[in-house]
Amino acid sequence: MTEHRERIVAILRDLGRPGTDAVIDYLDSSNYYTRGCYSHHKERGGLAQHSIEVYEHMCAHAGGLPAGSIAVAAFFHDLGKTRRQDGRGHGRRSLDILDECGYALTEDERTAIGRHHDKSLDFLVCPLRRALSIADCDSTGRWKRTHPKLGHRSRNHR
């Protein structure tokens, strides 16, 4: 878990965005580095591990997208899972946390984080959201469970 924290913090610091210190403080004070991640990555530290897997997948397969946006979307798309459910999706809760920390986001980052499980049409016009959704499905194994004959998604979406 320490290695996950060190890697995530180093990447976030390199971005140099407003609100970085506050969001790092939030990550440290929450269960981000210790909690599991529902039906996948259930083990201790699974949420951070999943975020790193999503980041690595996006770096390898989302050519042309800004590196900072890839990091932000990957590390923060499930941040809302660190808070108690309140009737809204975890993507919306993630945005609330980032807003409370004063963390600067682009509109594409907001769309990707807030709506990465949505089935709305902005999936087609927001390449960051599309890349995040595909990487998230690959990391959770959802793509392989729903499309077993097609195999691993990363070979088929370039």
Side-chain angles (χ1 to χ4, degrees):
M1 286 175 282
T2 303
E3 65 196 45
H4 295 328
R5 183 198 179 278
E6 289 174 9
R7 184 169 181 201
I8 291 169
V9 168
I11 292 167
L12 292 176
R13 287 210 188 282
D14 282 347
L15 298 179
R17 293 194 183 190
T20 296
D21 289 336
V23 83
I24 290 171
D25 289 344
Y26 178 84
L27 296 175
D28 288 340
S29 66
S30 73
N31 59 2
Y32 182 82
Y33 296 112
T34 58
R35 72 167 286 142
C37 201
Y38 298 120
S39 63
H40 58 91
H41 298 85
K42 292 185 230 183
E43 69 280 356
R44 184 172 170 81
L47 179 60
Q49 175 64 39
H50 168 65
S51 297
I52 287 171
E53 286 178 12
V54 170
Y55 172 72
E56 290 171 346
H57 185 283
M58 289 179 75
C59 286
H61 301 287
L65 293 175
S69 290
I70 288 173
V72 167
F75 295 146
F76 299 144
H77 75 283
D78 281 346
L79 185 60
K81 292 180 179 181
T82 63
R83 284 204 175 153
R84 177 170 276 133
Q85 292 184 15
D86 62 2
R88 297 172 311 135
H90 66 270
R92 295 296 317 151
R93 291 192 309 271
S94 298
L95 293 175
D96 289 346
I97 293 165
L98 294 167
D99 288 343
E100 289 164 16
C101 291
Y103 195 79
L105 295 170
T106 67
E107 282 307 308
D108 281 350
E109 291 164 358
R110 285 182 126 6
T111 297
I113 292 167
R115 304 177 79 181
H116 66 280
H117 286 305
D118 243 356
K119 291 184 171 52
S120 63
L121 289 179
D122 64 358
F123 184 88
L124 302 173
V125 296
C126 182
L128 182 65
R129 179 173 172 231
R130 182 172 52 249
L132 174 61
S133 296
I134 291 168
D136 191 33
C137 283
D138 265 1
S139 176
T140 63
R142 197 172 317 134
W143 177 263
K144 289 176 237 173
R145 286 192 306 272
T146 57
H147 301 89
K149 292 181 181 175
L150 295 178
H152 196 264
R153 176 68 175 142
S154 63
R155 284 185 242 135
N156 301 313
H157 81 282
R158 293 181 205 187

